Amino acid sequence: MNYNINKAVIIGSGTMGAAIAAHLANIGVPVTLLDIVPKDAPADNKAARNKIVNEGWDRCIKARPANLMSDELKTLVTLGNLEDDFGVVAEADWILEVIVENLKIKQDLMVRIDEIRKPNAIVATNTSGIPVYSIAEGRSKEFKKHFLGMHFFNPPRYLKLLEIIPTADTSKDVVEAMARFGEYRLGKGVVLCKDTPNFIGNRVAFGTGAFALDFILNNDYSVDEVDALTGPIMGRPKTATFRLIDLVGVDVWDHVGKNLAPLIPHDKLGQKYLAAEKPRKLMDTLLERKWLGNKTKVGFYKEVRDAEGKKQFYSLDLNTLEHVPAGKPRFDSVKAAKDVEGLGDRLKVMLDADDKAAKLVKALTYQSFQYVSTIIPEVADTVKPIDDAVRWGFMHEAGPFEIWDMLGVQETVKQMKKEGYAPAKWVDEMLKAGVETFYQYKGANVVGVYDVVKKKYAKLKQPEGFVFLKDLRSTKKEISKNAGASLYDVGDGVALVEFHTKMNALDDDIFAITSEALDRLENEFDGLVVGNEGDNFSAGANLFMVVVAAQQGMWDQLDGAIRRLQSMNMRMRYSPKPVVVAPAGLALGGGCEVTMHASRVVAAAETYIGLVELGAGVIPAGAGTKEYMRRIINPIMKVDGAEPFPFIQKAFLQIGQAKVATSAEEARGMGILNPQDRVIANRDHLLTEAKKEVLHLVASGYRAPAPELIYAAGRDMFGAMKIGAWAFKEGHYITEYDSHIATKLAHIIAGGDITKPTWVSEQYILDLEREAFLSLCGEEKTQARMWSILQSGKPLRN
C-alpha cells in the first residue's frame, strides 16, 4: 500500500503542535492547525473562536530560533478550530494529535477522528508519557491499523530525532510509510521504539538527568562548574545541563519527570533519583517563584543588564538560591583535555584525573553507561536505538554505547564497578562470550551491532546507492588527497571533491584538488560534486593566511590566491560538464562564492549562507560581488525602461550588511540559490542527492551557460550608493570605516570609473573586486578586524 502525505492536520497549537505545523510548511506540505474554541466565544465571531489557535501560531512565528525556514512559507498553514473546521480532518492524509497529556481527552478526540477520517488516513499521537496503545482503545479495526505514536523533539525544525511507536495493531506498511516520510521528507533520524514509558530519548534523559542533579547538589558543584564540564568537552552541546533545563522550561522538565516516575515502578535506578529529596526541593522552589527558564528570563540563569545596558547572565547559587555574576571555573583536568582531538581520547584524560571536575565527569559517564545498559531489552533489543536517540534528540557527539566502545568496554566495566556503577548482567555475559565491543567494526566502519536478546551481532544494513565518504577514504576510490582536500570516484562517472581543512576554510590545497578535479572532469568523468560530511561546508577564505600575507607585504602571493579562487569559481560556472555544489551548515564568504558558481546547487535545508566579508574589513573578491550583480541587477536591466536603483540597492545592502540566509529557502529569496536548485531536508542524504542531480543533468543533456555581460550603472548610481552609506554613518548605524568599505563596494557595483551605464565583461568586474580587496587588506583597520575574528570569533566595529 502506498501512502502519500499531501495534506495534514495538526490538532493542538501549543509550542510543539504549532512548531510541527511550521516544519510541515518548511517541507512544502499544506497543513491545517486546529485548537479548541474559547469558552463563551460568540458563534458569529470567527476571530474570537480562533483566538487560541491564532495566539499559538503567532507565538510560533515570532519564536527564535525561527520555526519557519522562510516567512513566505506561512501561507501553507491554515488556522481553524475544533468545532467550525473539524471537517478538514476528513480530507487529511495524516492527522497528528498534540494536545494536553490527558488520556480521556485524547481518547475522546480519537472517537471524533475515527468517525470522519478517510480510508487509509494515518492518525498519530505526539504523546511522550501516555502508552500509545491506550489512546486507540475502543477504536475501529481500520483506525487501529492506521494509528501509531510519532514523538517529535522540540524544536522540531532543528532536533533530528523522531521516535515512531507502533502498537500491536499498527500495519507494517503504515510504519514503513511514516518512517520513510520522517526520514526523506521531514529530514529526521527515525528511531523505532517499543511502547514503553517515555520511549527512549526522554527515558534516558531523565534516568541520567535525575542522577546528575542529585549528584551535583550532594557534592557542592556550582551551576557554572557543571555547565563548563557538561558541554563540548564531554561531546555535548553548549547548552550543557542547566542551560538545557532553562531552554526546555523548568516546568516542562519537572512535569515530564513527575509523569515518568509512577510509570516505571520496576526501574530501581530511575526511582531512586527521580524521588531524591534535594532535587525535588530545588525544583519546587523554582516553580513556586515562577523561575521557569528562558520563557520567564529567569531560571538557573537570569538575564540582567549592567550599568551600560549590556545583557549579562547571572547564574543561580544552588545554596542561597540567589543569582550571582557568572564565574569562570578552571580545572587542571579540563586544561589537560581541552586541546585533545577525539572525544574518546579527551574523556580518557578526564577519567584518569582526580580533581573536582574529573569526579563529576566520572560519575556522569559511568552512571549513564550503567543506566542505559539496565533498560535493555526493555526499551530496545540492541544498543543502536539508544545511541541514535541520544545523538539525534540531544545533539550529543556520540551515544553512550559508542563512547563506551571508544573507552574500551572491558577496562571501563572494571572502573565502573570500582566506582559503584556496575552495569547490567548482560554486559558481563557479552564480555565472557568473547564479544569485546557493542558494535562490530570492519576497519573504521561499523558493520554490526550486538543484539542482547539473540546474544550475537546483528548486521547493519546500509542503504543501496548512498554516498558515504567514510566508506571511500583510504580505498582505491580515493583518487587524490592533500592536507586540505580529497578527490573521490563516487561511481557512475561522478567525482567528488571533499574539503577537510579547519572549518573547511579555503586555501591553496583546496584550490589544487579542485583544479585537478576540473582537469580530470574533461576526460575521465561525466560530472562533479563539491561537498563534504563536516558540520560546515566552508567558513570562507583562510583569514590567517590573508592577514599574515598582508602584514608581511606579500602582495603577489595574496593577489595570486585571489586569482586562483576567481579562476576556480569561473571554471566551475563554465564547465562543459555539470558541477553540483552541496552546501550545509555555514557557507560563508568564499564558501558562498563557490556555491554560487555551481551548475546546480543541492543544499541542506539548514544551510546558513551569505557574503560576510565586510565584517572582516574587505569586500567579496572570489567573484561574489560579480555574481550578485549578475543575479540581482542583470535580469531587471534586460527589461526595457526598467529602473535599476531598487535592485542595485538590494545587491549593495545584502553585501554591505553582510546578510546571512538562515536557511536554504531564505537563500533562494536572496538570490543565492536559483529556482531550479534543490533543498534536502535530511543532511545525511545530501551527497547522495547531489550525485543524483549530476546524473540527472547529464541525462538531460547539460550545456554550460553562455558568457554573460554584467550591467554597470555608472557614476550617478555610484553617487547614490555613496550618499546611502553616508546617511547610515550619520545615523550611527555603521562606523566611518564601514562607510569607507561600502564606498569601495559601491565603486565595483557602479562599474568603476565609467561615467554612464553600460554592459561590461565578467573579467572587468573580477579585476575591480581583486583591486578593492588588496587595497583594503593594506589598511590597519581591516587587519585589526581580521585579527579580532581570528582571536575572539567576533567582528570588530572599528
Side-chain angles (χ1 to χ4, degrees), residues 120 135 236 259-260 484 563 609 661 696 793:
N120 298 322
I135 296 172
R236 302 180 184 185
N259 278 2
L260 176 62
R563 289 178 186 272
I609 186 168
H696 167 71

Side-chain angles (χ1 to χ4, degrees), residues 219-422:
N219 290 276
D220 198 29
Y221 287 90
S222 71
V223 166
D224 295 324
E225 288 173 334
V226 172
D227 278 1
L229 293 170
T230 58
I233 198 162
M234 287 188 69
R236 302 180 184 185
K238 292 179 180 178
T239 46
T241 297
F242 292 110
R243 287 188 190 89
L244 176 62
I245 298 175
D246 273 0
L247 177 65
V248 171
V250 173
D251 53 339
V252 174
W253 189 273
D254 182 70
H255 176 74
V256 176
K258 280 180 177 176
N259 278 2
L260 176 62
L263 297 173
I264 52 170
H266 56 283
D267 186 341
K268 294 180 181 178
L269 288 176
Q271 289 293 343
K272 178 180 178 181
Y273 298 113
L274 286 167
E277 182 180 349
K278 286 186 178 180
R280 177 74 273 136
K281 185 177 178 181
L282 172 63
M283 298 301 279
D284 286 345
T285 302
L286 294 178
L287 292 169
E288 287 169 11
R289 296 181 181 182
K290 297 193 180 335
W291 291 358
L292 306 182
N294 292 5
K295 67 181 81 174
T296 58
K297 296 188 177 180
V298 56
F300 287 101
Y301 290 89
K302 181 180 181 180
E303 184 181 313
V304 299
R305 299 278 175 173
D306 63 16
E308 298 177 356
K310 292 182 180 178
K311 187 188 296 185
Q312 293 187 1
F313 290 93
Y314 282 15
S315 52
L316 185 67
D317 185 312
L318 297 174
N319 294 312
T320 67
L321 295 187
E322 294 179 354
H323 290 89
V324 297
K328 292 185 177 179
R330 286 179 168 78
F331 301 102
D332 290 341
S333 59
V334 173
K335 184 178 180 181
K338 68 182 181 70
D339 293 326
V340 175
E341 291 290 332
L343 176 58
D345 290 335
R346 196 161 62 243
L347 282 174
K348 285 177 183 177
V349 172
M350 298 290 293
L351 295 171
D352 287 342
D354 198 35
D355 61 4
K356 187 179 182 183
K359 288 177 181 176
L360 179 62
V361 172
K362 203 173 293 186
L364 297 184
T365 301
Y366 292 158
Q367 190 272 342
S368 72
F369 293 172
Q370 177 190 44
Y371 188 72
V372 294
S373 70
T374 62
I375 60 174
I376 294 177
E378 180 193 353
V379 305
D381 293 339
T382 78
V383 303
K384 191 174 187 299
I386 293 176
D387 282 342
D388 287 344
V390 170
R391 274 188 288 101
W392 294 336
F394 303 101
M395 298 177 71
H396 286 206
E397 188 176 330
F401 292 101
E402 291 170 323
I403 295 173
W404 205 341
D405 269 2
M406 293 176 195
L407 299 177
V409 179
Q410 192 147 8
E411 180 57 34
T412 302
V413 167
K414 292 178 185 176
Q415 295 301 318
M416 289 168 63
K417 291 177 178 178
K418 182 179 176 182
E419 297 290 334
Y421 302 105

Side-chain angles (χ1 to χ4, degrees), residues 535-659:
D535 291 335
N536 300 299
F537 175 70
S538 173
N542 185 326
L543 209 55
F544 180 78
M545 179 200 76
V546 172
V547 68
V548 168
Q551 290 186 329
Q552 293 184 359
M554 301 165 64
W555 299 113
D556 288 344
Q557 291 90 327
L558 200 50
D559 179 69
I562 301 166
R563 289 178 186 272
R564 284 192 290 278
L565 177 57
Q566 289 181 342
S567 174
M568 181 183 86
N569 285 337
M570 295 301 285
R571 282 191 72 187
M572 287 198 303
R573 171 162 165 71
Y574 291 112
S575 168
K577 296 179 181 179
V579 178
V580 172
V581 175
L586 297 179
L588 304 177
C592 177
E593 291 174 312
V594 170
T595 301
M596 293 175 78
H597 286 80
S599 311
R600 190 79 86 248
V601 177
V602 176
E606 299 301 337
T607 297
Y608 313 114
I609 186 168
L611 298 175
V612 296
E613 284 84 351
L614 194 104
V618 290
I619 55 91
T625 305
K626 176 272 301 178
E627 197 60 17
Y628 260 35
M629 294 170 69
R630 188 186 73 80
R631 290 167 179 242
I632 296 172
I633 303 170
N634 268 19
I636 195 66
M637 296 317 299
K638 293 175 182 177
V639 178
D640 289 342
E643 168 55 50
F645 182 70
F647 302 92
I648 289 171
Q649 184 181 49
K650 179 181 178 181
F652 181 56
L653 289 177
Q654 280 189 192
I655 299 173
Q657 294 175 335
K659 187 174 181 183

Side-chain angles (χ1 to χ4, degrees), residues 705-743:
E708 189 170 348
L709 296 175
I710 307 297
Y711 180 83
R715 180 177 56 197
D716 291 347
M717 283 298 171
F718 177 44
M721 286 184 277
K722 282 179 68 177
I723 291 170
W726 176 85
F728 268 72
K729 175 176 70 71
E730 291 300 303
H732 303 291
Y733 296 107
I734 63 175
T735 68
E736 187 168 345
Y737 195 63
D738 287 331
S739 179
H740 172 65
I741 303 167
T743 300

